[in-house]
Amino acid sequence: MSTLIEQPVQARLVAPAPRMETVPATLRYDREDPFAVRIDFPAPATLEGADVSWAFGRELLAAGVDAPAGVGDVRVRPYGYGRTVMEFHAQEGVAVVHVRTSEIRRFLERAQDVVPEGREHLFLGLDQDLTELLRDAG
């Protein structure tokens, strides 16, 4: 079974213009970082012209499809018409995107197959990290 899940999604960038621009994005989940999910935006979709990746809690994403979640740099909430809103807060400003809730739910189901919710601690690899730390210290 693969330990990495990548799912392309279409994100609609909310902007002051009358219409929302669709940008490609990729949701990622890796069993080696079992508590986190990532969403990657390619360079053409960003103001800096560089790839941007946001990491945040899988639990936050799962909660946010049903009710507002998050108080920090990433906030997720349901939005009418089968969409979920993700807000990304940074020093440079706030980016707001809409993603189809069905795509997020499918992604979360796939992640659940790789690491069941509540079992993330079993995939942390603390023994290997501790062994490497002690080897480097000696």
Side-chain angles (χ1 to χ4, degrees):
M1 177 190 300
S2 175
T3 64
L4 177 68
I5 295 171
E6 296 182 336
Q7 181 173 318
V9 296
Q10 290 298 313
R12 300 199 73 155
L13 182 61
V14 178
R19 67 179 192 85
M20 292 187 284
E21 179 182 344
T22 301
V23 296
T26 303
L27 287 168
R28 296 184 195 280
Y29 181 76
D30 189 340
R31 182 168 62 185
E32 292 184 14
D33 191 4
F35 289 101
V37 296
R38 290 179 173 21
I39 188 165
D40 300 334
F41 297 96
T46 69
L47 292 175
E48 297 83 20
D51 293 346
V52 172
S53 182
W54 283 83
F56 52 100
R58 174 170 77 160
E59 188 176 280
L60 171 66
L61 182 61
V65 297
D66 295 316
V71 293
D73 293 343
V74 179
R75 300 171 193 179
V76 183
R77 69 179 184 280
Y79 186 76
Y81 308 110
R83 298 219 175 250
T84 297
V85 173
M86 296 182 194
E87 294 181 11
F88 303 98
H89 296 252
Q91 256 183 331
E92 299 81 14
V94 178
V96 179
V97 296
H98 291 188
V99 177
R100 284 189 182 99
T101 303
S102 61
E103 292 180 331
I104 294 172
R105 288 190 193 281
R106 185 171 45 252
F107 170 76
L108 289 169
E109 287 171 8
R110 292 175 64 206
Q112 177 77 7
D113 289 343
V114 172
V115 176
E117 186 177 339
R119 313 274 297 178
E120 294 91 349
H121 64 283
L122 299 175
F123 296 87
L124 288 177
L126 294 177
D127 293 334
Q128 179 182 352
D129 292 344
L130 184 57
T131 300
E132 288 179 21
L133 181 65
L134 292 174
R135 184 183 65 227
D136 292 343

